[in-house]
Amino acid sequence: MQGVRVLEVAQFTFVPAAGAILADWGADVIKVEHPVRGDTQRGFINMGGLQMDPNRHPLMEHPNRGKRSVGIDVSKPDGREVLYELAKTSDVFLTNFMPAVRQRHEFDVEHIRAVNQDIIYARGSAYGDKGPQRDVGGFDGTAFWTRSGVGHALTPAELGGALSQGIPAFGDSIGGMNIAGGISAALFHRERTGEAVEIDVSLLSTAWWAGGASVTQGMETGETMRSVMPGSVGPTVNPFMGNYLTSDGGTINLCIVSPTGYIRDAFEHLGLPELADDPRFSDVLPLIENAPAAAKLIRESIRSKPFEYWRNHLKTMRGQWAPFQSFIDLASDDQAIANDMIVEVEAGDGGKPFKVVRGPIQFNHEPLETTRAPQASEHTEIVLMELGMDWDRIEELKEAGAIA
């Protein structure tokens, strides 16, 4: 994306996450923030009940790495003129502000296209840019988790209630990647045809795409899968699929979707070699017919030893499985480290480096380079001088409160 400029007028994580991915890919992403408040998310000092250091802010670092921040008050005419000057030099305009705000402050598609007819205009919203709820706002906790059915599918029916979303900005980050992919396709289309298009991605459509197999199943049959309670393998026709508890409360997930060719090796690794010669379990069809009995024996075997034993012992098993880990565990996972999934960036407070998650795409096996998220309005003067604006004009705009 080197040579591509993205002008981002957006807050929180959904949409800014798209800018972060494009910045990782080499684009020059200019983040426009309010000259006094900055991105509203900068004021969040509590994340799921955990206190955060505002100078080492996960919800700012994750979706804003690699960008430059310019402080502009788009509610002021002078501020909008600066925004339009930036738009003239940009390839993409990226926003998640509501339609009424875009119209009131004159940065909706017609206003931006009036100064740059070739710009790609990308919108992120809660529920889409069409229909009766076009003007309704939302977050991933409402649009992605609750309304979409994702939270319902991941909440066991036995709970009799609803699980809250346990990952901040979960749908936001997935949706940001969808937007980045759409922008890439739009840039390719413009290169081929000369046409600049508009892009829309919603948190609701992101959730339905992520859960597309279940959504399709529901529309077809009227039923969908739901998560089951811990310790319950649930009704099964395949004992090699399910979460099994260890003696010390850990969980091993077996996921041998097709047991053909794996039965003997799996039983040997699970401490049950005799079952490979038991006619009830030695081939796929009888294994399916006797799945509850096999699952009971597997459950007892795994429950007899601790989590670390199984995590090491099963490394040589040919079938598919995984240890049930936390995000903290993953940070020291040798496979995650080997694949460059974590990167250290300079910390904004000048302290020890800040670890962030790299974008999930690699080109030619090379990890993407990234830099820290900017301080609010950190690059205002530099970017405006690149546009050819002289210092006297910059000072006038500052005194008027149009920029920071």
Side-chain angles (χ1 to χ4, degrees):
M1 291 287 176
Q2 188 173 3
V4 172
R5 172 169 281 182
V6 178
L7 181 56
E8 177 187 298
V9 183
Q11 301 190 97
F12 305 107
T13 301
F14 180 47
V15 176
I21 290 294
L22 296 171
D24 276 355
W25 294 347
D28 177 20
V29 181
I30 298 173
K31 180 181 179 68
V32 173
E33 302 191 61
H34 189 276
V36 177
R37 300 185 300 272
D39 185 322
T40 300
Q41 194 159 258
R42 291 187 184 275
F44 289 8
I45 57 173
N46 184 294
M47 194 166 84
L50 303 175
Q51 291 297 116
M52 291 184 294
D53 180 347
N55 296 313
R56 301 177 66 87
H57 200 313
L59 280 177
M60 288 305 299
E61 290 293 336
H62 169 64
N64 292 296
R65 83 283 290 286
K67 301 177 185 177
R68 298 194 288 173
S69 174
V70 175
I72 302 175
D73 187 344
V74 297
S75 71
K76 296 179 180 293
D78 284 348
R80 286 197 292 276
E81 287 304 315
V82 175
L83 185 71
Y84 296 154
E85 287 300 312
L86 285 168
K88 289 176 184 178
T89 68
S90 298
D91 298 282
V92 180
F93 189 89
L94 189 56
T95 188
N96 61 1
F97 277 89
M98 302 287 289
V101 176
R102 299 196 305 260
Q103 281 294 318
R104 184 166 66 251
H105 298 317
E106 299 179 353
F107 60 87
D108 216 338
V109 60
E110 66 267 26
H111 309 111
I112 299 300
R113 286 268 173 88
V115 298
N116 183 350
Q117 64 180 0
D118 296 322
I119 202 166
I120 292 161
Y121 195 97
R123 289 175 293 256
S125 62
Y127 301 114
D129 200 53
K130 298 183 288 188
Q133 293 190 305
R134 176 178 185 260
D135 297 310
V136 175
F139 293 95
D140 68 331
T142 56
F144 176 86
W145 180 262
T146 305
R147 182 167 179 174
S148 70
V150 169
H152 177 269
L154 298 181
T155 299
E158 298 93 322
L159 289 181
L163 284 178
S164 60
Q165 182 178 317
I167 305 173
F170 190 16
D172 293 341
S173 298
I174 301 171
M177 179 59 74
N178 293 343
I179 294 171
I183 287 170
S184 300
L187 287 167
F188 180 76
H189 178 77
R190 191 182 69 176
E191 183 73 18
R192 287 290 182 89
T193 69
E195 180 192 20
V197 299
E198 299 174 45
I199 295 169
D200 282 289
V201 175
S202 72
L203 288 167
L204 189 63
S205 67
T206 291
W208 272 40
W209 172 250
S214 278
V215 174
T216 301
Q217 180 188 42
M219 292 187 294
E220 179 70 16
T221 68
E223 296 181 299
T224 61
M225 292 173 56
R226 292 187 71 178
S227 292
V228 298
M229 293 291 285
S232 170
V233 177
T236 183
V237 295
N238 182 353
F240 296 142
M241 288 189 67
N243 290 317
Y244 291 92
L245 295 176
T246 65
S247 64
D248 54 354
T251 300
I252 297 296
N253 173 248
L254 299 183
C255 194
I256 305 175
V257 174
S258 178
T260 302
Y262 293 106
I263 292 175
R264 180 171 297 278
D265 180 74
F267 278 133
E268 288 176 351
H269 276 84
L270 293 169
L272 300 164
E274 69 280 3
L275 297 190
D277 296 312
D278 188 318
R280 295 176 298 166
F281 313 125
S282 59
D283 205 353
V284 173
L285 287 179
L287 179 70
I288 291 171
E289 292 171 358
N290 296 283
K296 180 176 182 294
L297 294 168
I298 292 170
R299 183 162 58 248
E300 291 171 354
S301 182
I302 292 179
R303 193 66 180 263
S304 70
K305 291 183 173 62
F307 180 71
E308 280 302 318
Y309 169 82
W310 292 112
R311 181 152 65 173
N312 289 312
H313 181 69
L314 294 179
K315 285 181 178 179
T316 56
M317 188 170 75
R318 292 173 52 233
Q320 297 74 32
W321 69 281
F324 192 73
Q325 297 191 150
S326 72
F327 286 139
I328 295 174
D329 296 327
L330 190 64
S332 58
D333 187 296
D334 55 1
Q335 191 65 16
I337 293 169
N339 283 276
D340 306 297
M341 291 168 60
I342 299 164
V343 61
E344 290 188 346
V345 298
E346 172 194 359
D349 65 356
K352 66 179 182 179
F354 199 94
K355 291 183 179 180
V356 297
V357 176
R358 270 199 174 98
I361 296 171
Q362 289 189 3
F363 301 94
N364 294 328
H365 279 178
E366 292 294 327
L368 297 168
E369 294 300 321
T370 192
T371 57
R372 65 170 172 83
Q375 303 277 350
S377 305
E378 179 179 346
H379 304 96
T380 303
E381 294 94 341
I382 293 172
V383 171
L384 296 188
M385 285 191 289
E386 287 175 358
L387 293 177
M389 194 174 293
D390 62 45
W391 190 254
D392 289 342
R393 177 60 176 153
I394 291 173
E395 284 293 333
E396 289 174 7
L397 290 167
K398 282 190 173 187
E399 289 175 7
I403 65 171

